[in-house]
């Protein structure tokens, strides 16, 4: 899928705006995500922390779960914005992989600069995907 510079920047800017709403009293590490589906719908997400630390939810998963809960599961691209252009955690990579390895992933820093353009396939080599469950004897 080919994205124009303008489309990429729009998704980054959307994630960066969402990022301001991150609930991060413990880490103070603001993460924003913006997901675009094949149908053109947009879903944002932020990280939501909790006093019981493991209950924290990442921004990418919030965006993905919002989309799934609205009946959208064909994803084209997700942008992720952090202060330093950080890359998605392993758990988020696995959740992204569930819905397709070809989803484009845009990583940007707090100034809105694209630092890396990649795909889920590249971020999670040899992924465990839904088709792995559909082997003989496990249908
Ligand atoms: N975080 C995300 O939102 N996405 C990631 O992929 C990596 C980590 C959040 C979780 C936590 O609120 C903070 O960043 C520090 O780990």
């Amino acid at each position: 899928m080919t994205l124009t510079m303008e489309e990429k920047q729009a998704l980054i800017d959307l994630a960066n705006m969402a990022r301001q709403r991150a609930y991060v009293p413990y880490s103070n590490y603001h993460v924003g995500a913006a997901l675009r589906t094949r149908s053109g719908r947009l879903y944002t997400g932020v990280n939501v922390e909790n006093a019981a630390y493991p209950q924290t939810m990442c921004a990418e998963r919030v965006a993905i779960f919002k989309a799934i809960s609205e009946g959208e599961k064909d994803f084209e691209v997700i942008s992720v914005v952090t202060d330093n252009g950080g890359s998605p955690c392993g758990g988020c990579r696995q959740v992204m992989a569930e819905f397709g390895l070809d989803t484009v992933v845009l990583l940007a820093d707090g100034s809105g600069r694209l630092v890396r353009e990649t795909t889920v396939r590249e971020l999670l080599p040899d992924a465990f995907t839904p088709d792995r469950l559909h082997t003989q004897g496990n249908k």
Side-chain angles (χ1 to χ4, degrees), residues 79-112:
S79 65
V80 184
V81 181
T82 57
D83 273 348
N84 55 4
S87 177
C89 78
C92 286
R93 293 175 194 212
Q94 181 64 35
V95 170
M96 290 177 193
E98 179 75 15
F99 302 104
L101 300 177
D102 294 322
T103 304
V104 173
V105 183
L106 306 173
L107 305 178
D109 67 19
S111 68

Side-chain angles (χ1 to χ4, degrees), residues 24 27 29 31 47 49 56-60 87-89 92:
V24 290
S27 74
Y29 189 72
V31 187
N47 49 336
E49 298 186 343
T56 291
M57 182 52 65
C58 292
E60 299 91 319
S87 177
C89 78
C92 286

Side-chain angles (χ1 to χ4, degrees), residues 54-130:
Q55 307 314 320
T56 291
M57 182 52 65
C58 292
E60 299 91 319
R61 274 181 274 177
V62 170
I64 291 168
F65 294 164
K66 280 168 72 177
I68 297 300
S69 72
E70 300 275 319
E72 296 278 342
K73 58 179 170 51
D74 295 327
F75 306 150
E76 273 184 349
V77 48
I78 186 168
S79 65
V80 184
V81 181
T82 57
D83 273 348
N84 55 4
S87 177
C89 78
C92 286
R93 293 175 194 212
Q94 181 64 35
V95 170
M96 290 177 193
E98 179 75 15
F99 302 104
L101 300 177
D102 294 322
T103 304
V104 173
V105 183
L106 306 173
L107 305 178
D109 67 19
S111 68
R113 187 179 63 92
L114 177 65
V115 296
R116 185 168 173 208
E117 176 172 350
T118 182
T119 61
V120 175
R121 188 184 307 283
E122 198 174 33
L123 288 175
L124 192 65
D126 202 20
F128 186 83
T129 47

